[in-house]
Amino acid sequence: MSTSYDVINPATEQIVKNVPHLDLEQTDAIIAKAAKAFETWKNVTPGERARLLRAFSQVVTDHREELAQLEITNAGHTRGNALWEADNVANTLMYYSAAPERLFGKQIPVPGGIDITFKEPLGVVGIIVPWNFPMPIAGWGFAPALAAGNTVVLKPAEYTPLTAIRLGELALLAGIPEGVLNILPGKGSVVGNRFVTHPLVRKVGFTGSTEVGKQIMAGCADQVKRVTLELGGKSANIIFADADIEKAAAGAPGAVFDNAGQDCCARSRILVQKSAFDKFMEHFEVAVKKFRCEDPNLATAEMGPLISKKQFDVVESYLDEKIAFQGSAPSGPGYWMPPTVLLPKNAQAKSWREEIFGPVVSILTFEDEAEGIKMANDSEYGLSGSIWTRDVGKALRVSRAIESGALSVNSNSSVRFWTPFGGFKQSGLGRGLGPDAVDSYTELKNVFISND
Ligand code: NAD
């Protein structure tokens, strides 16, 4: 039975909108519609598909203010982030609009004829999105999937469905045919799980927690369904004594507290070489205390509230370890948590090992390069991270040794649509983004044509 629920503004605790939870019957009807649309969409010429993706990109740009305002209100994102996120969807669409006309196969030399490979679309692709970056993560899924000739059913997270719903409407406005991009607000256990079990959904692209990702992978096994998993992280920010310590310390708050720490790439473990610890902490404390946690509508805001009371309670449960210092945050209403710096006892501490998904960072020291690498790799996750050093050889050695899908040297950059992104170990399976992402939304077909 279809029900509905209230979406809450996490900065004010006020109701923003009432949104439907689609039931199983409605979900199945939309999947059937997407399967029907696929029969037409897969035959749209590459040039026309490219043109439509560019038109969609332009419409998103034309609505960037509206989309950003929706995300500020729905997710508590800062104005700066929300505008970047809307632009990121437009830019990702533009980037993948080049793909339909470049889906090259190979001609393979064989005796007796000619052998050709084709990259065929899969059919209906199910994209499941978390609440932390609702717009870009939706775009990173649907843009390459549509470019490859698939149709998409997309389930936003329960907390943050509004921008995804609007993006679905904007796709129609841009001329993308009905049924090609479908947004299905609803529960993970109903709509999301149906993507896993429905035989017409040929792939699930999931971004979310490692716990749910494991269930999805197990569920997909039943039909040998294609699956990509973008999961949790506990990324290391490794600062060597020879680094520009002031620069590393100035950037470290943004690397973990951006989006109130609700970021799979948050550098929530800081490892500082022992000889540089005091200098780092002196500059880091100044930077943390300057970090602006305030009304996300303000142009100066660097961090807003947590998404929900539930998330607030989870994050608060980690604050029983030694607190080195905290920044400031507004008092309620809203789910406000100040940027917090912990000094755990050792690498077995809960805050050091678990993904907190809030504005909390833990700091430990290491003696030398070997110990720094060992400590950084001592995690079930391997998603992102930073290495700060002026020694090029060390930067290269450490980058190669760290078990992580994305690393930045002397920078906190993480996800960029031009480059592949995904996790080692329990941070995920497969890669999204970059020039090859479209391939993960295709099947490779081999055809031999005889000379005879
Ligand atoms: P979550 O796993 O609780 O939910 C993610 C999505 O899955 C939601 O849309 C949810 O409704 C749906 N879902 C829940 N149960 C389901 C089920 N049984 N079947 C199908 N779908 C189901 O995650 P969250 O709390 O929304 O997001 C936070 C997590 O996402 C963090 O662990 C974070 O690290 C991770 N994340 C990873 C990346 C990445 O690219 N690696 C990016 C952003 C967030």
Side-chain angles (χ1 to χ4, degrees), residues 128-132 137 155-158 186-189 192-193 196 206-210 212 215-216 230-233 263-264 355 357 383 421 427:
I128 302 176
V129 178
W131 47 258
N132 63 329
I137 293 175
K155 195 200 89 62
E158 288 93 315
K187 292 184 181 165
S189 56
N193 188 52
V196 174
F206 172 80
T207 306
S209 61
T210 296
V212 175
Q215 292 168 28
I216 292 197
E230 301 284 359
L231 308 177
D263 180 350
C264 55
E355 182 183 48
F357 230 54
L383 191 59
F421 179 69
S427 283

Side-chain angles (χ1 to χ4, degrees), residues 67-80:
L67 287 164
Q69 196 52 52
L70 213 49
E71 208 66 287
I72 295 169
T73 313
N74 186 174
H77 286 196
T78 62
R79 186 172 163 70

Side-chain angles (χ1 to χ4, degrees), residues 274-287:
K274 205 167 264 173
S275 53
F277 181 72
D278 290 345
K279 183 172 178 193
F280 175 81
M281 288 301 270
E282 185 192 322
H283 292 284
F284 186 48
E285 182 166 1
V286 173

Side-chain angles (χ1 to χ4, degrees), residues 105-390:
K106 286 193 174 112
Q107 182 264 308
I108 300 171
V110 292
I114 182 170
D115 199 284
I116 323 167
T117 62
F118 294 92
K119 292 179 180 173
E120 305 284 15
L122 301 166
V124 181
V125 168
I127 306 282
I128 302 176
V129 178
W131 47 258
N132 63 329
F133 286 109
M135 271 197 281
I137 293 175
W140 300 338
F142 67 60
L146 296 177
N150 303 284
T151 54
V152 170
V153 288
L154 184 146
K155 195 200 89 62
E158 288 93 315
Y159 288 127
T160 55
L162 300 185
T163 45
I165 292 172
R166 189 66 183 129
L167 284 168
E169 294 165 356
L170 295 179
L172 294 175
L173 199 62
I176 303 271
E178 184 88 34
V180 169
L181 175 60
N182 308 275
I183 311 299
L184 294 82
K187 292 184 181 165
S189 56
V190 179
V191 179
N193 188 52
R194 192 63 183 133
F195 293 179
V196 174
T197 60
H198 199 300
L200 284 179
V201 177
R202 296 290 163 78
K203 169 169 180 161
V204 176
F206 172 80
T207 306
S209 61
T210 296
E211 191 190 339
V212 175
K214 288 177 185 176
Q215 292 168 28
I216 292 197
M217 189 173 171
C220 284
D222 196 44
Q223 295 167 25
V224 196
K225 191 169 287 194
R226 279 67 184 131
V227 62
T228 305
L229 303 173
E230 301 284 359
L231 308 177
K234 190 73 192 173
S235 298
N237 193 355
I238 309 166
I239 296 146
F240 286 96
D242 66 31
D244 181 340
I245 299 292
E246 287 179 35
K247 190 174 170 198
V256 61
F257 302 140
D258 182 54
N259 206 29
Q262 303 164 122
D263 180 350
C264 55
C265 295
R267 273 66 164 168
S268 53
R269 290 185 298 153
I270 298 181
L271 288 88
V272 190
Q273 194 160 17
K274 205 167 264 173
S275 53
F277 181 72
D278 290 345
K279 183 172 178 193
F280 175 81
M281 288 301 270
E282 185 192 322
H283 292 284
F284 186 48
E285 182 166 1
V286 173
V288 169
K289 291 188 171 162
K290 268 201 327 218
F291 203 75
R292 297 183 73 110
C293 174
E294 58 189 1
D295 176 356
N297 286 290
L298 297 172
T300 48
E302 293 176 280
M303 180 184 137
L306 290 164
I307 191 70
S308 64
K309 172 76 169 72
K310 186 173 163 215
Q311 190 63 13
F312 181 92
D313 291 342
V314 169
V315 177
E316 201 176 38
S317 73
Y318 286 89
L319 303 189
D320 55 359
E321 292 178 27
K322 183 178 171 191
I323 295 177
F325 46 84
Q326 286 182 297
S328 59
S331 49
Y335 313 120
W336 298 96
M337 171 80 64
T340 299
V341 180
L342 298 181
L343 291 173
K345 272 204 190 103
N346 54 42
Q348 298 316 312
K350 203 162 80 123
S351 77
W352 189 258
R353 306 211 70 81
E354 296 178 8
E355 182 183 48
I356 300 175
F357 230 54
V360 179
V361 67
S362 305
I363 307 188
L364 286 176
T365 58
F366 61 93
E367 288 289 349
D368 56 18
E369 189 177 318
E371 192 185 25
I373 292 168
K374 190 161 172 254
M375 286 173 69
N377 284 341
D378 180 21
S379 168
E380 68 197 32
Y381 297 111
L383 191 59
S384 194
S386 293
I387 299 158
W388 296 83
T389 175
R390 286 186 169 105

